Amino acid sequence: MEEYDELSAGPNEEGKLDLSHNAWAELPDQLFGFASRILTLDLSHNKLVEVEADFGKLFVLSNLNLEGNIITSIHPNLGKCIRLKTINLSGNRIGEIPKEIGNCTLLEEFRLSDNFVQTLPPELGNVVALRILDLKNNKLNFLPPEIAKIPTIQEIHCEGNPDLAMVPDDMRVNSDMVIWALRLHRDHQAKVEVKVAHYNELEEKARDSEEHRLRLKDEMSAILEEVKNLEDERPTSYITLKAKVKRLSARCTIS
């Protein structure tokens, strides 16, 4: 198709493919035919509405720029692009990040400013190479404390998120303070998890004890029933009954 003419040559020798500023609302299948060659893909400033499933085919992709589209959703298949080092999704309409992003463990820069993101998946803590996380001007109300365990994290930008109570407003402009606050939340969460695990263990033991008590009660009732039956069958009862039968037999003989 004519509007896709500039795609026909594919990526250059360095694996770069610049398809920015084309007003594209959807992507041609032809793009994903270059999957083995595209290292850097620039689709910024188009009119794309989603990060579609086919992005998972870009298995050698290292840099992805989707800034300035109207994207509202990200398919989990993006997590198959495990060689990604930079993702720019700033200036879209994204509300949710799939947990599969945690599979992109080589990711160093993740830019999500100026979206509608409310929270991030805890799996983001698995992205052990992450250095820069740009979350400015979203609708965040929570940040997963797991982010604080990333050894390489240097910058977390979360200004412009008025509902993010876990990081005080005057601390959001300072990445070191944001990371410090997240570590406090992480340590507190760890303590809570220990307490909850202990509680669940005690509850399980109590349940086992109650079940054991009920089993013992049933066994005791069964034993009492057996005792009663044995009482009815005891020798003295048998002898008395046999003597009575003999007397009755004798009467019948005399008659």
Side-chain angles (χ1 to χ4, degrees), residues 10-18 34 36-42 60-63:
N12 64 18
E13 294 179 356
E14 297 176 345
K16 295 179 180 179
L17 184 57
D18 186 351
F34 298 116
S36 63
R37 295 169 50 195
I38 302 175
L39 300 179
T40 297
L41 179 59
D42 188 351
V60 297
L61 187 63
S62 181
N63 304 289

Side-chain angles (χ1 to χ4, degrees), residues 105-131:
T105 55
L106 299 179
L107 188 63
E108 298 177 7
E109 295 184 19
F110 194 16
R111 300 189 181 275
L112 281 165
S113 64
D114 301 292
N115 276 283
F116 300 107
V117 179
Q118 293 186 353
T119 187
L120 296 169
E123 288 79 6
L124 189 60
N126 298 331
V127 184
V128 294
L130 191 63
R131 295 186 299 105

Side-chain angles (χ1 to χ4, degrees), residues 173-189:
V173 296
N174 187 321
S175 291
D176 290 336
M177 296 302 291
V178 174
I179 295 169
W180 174 78
L182 287 178
R183 283 175 179 158
L184 285 182
H185 284 283
R186 179 198 61 187
D187 293 344
H188 176 264
Q189 178 178 285

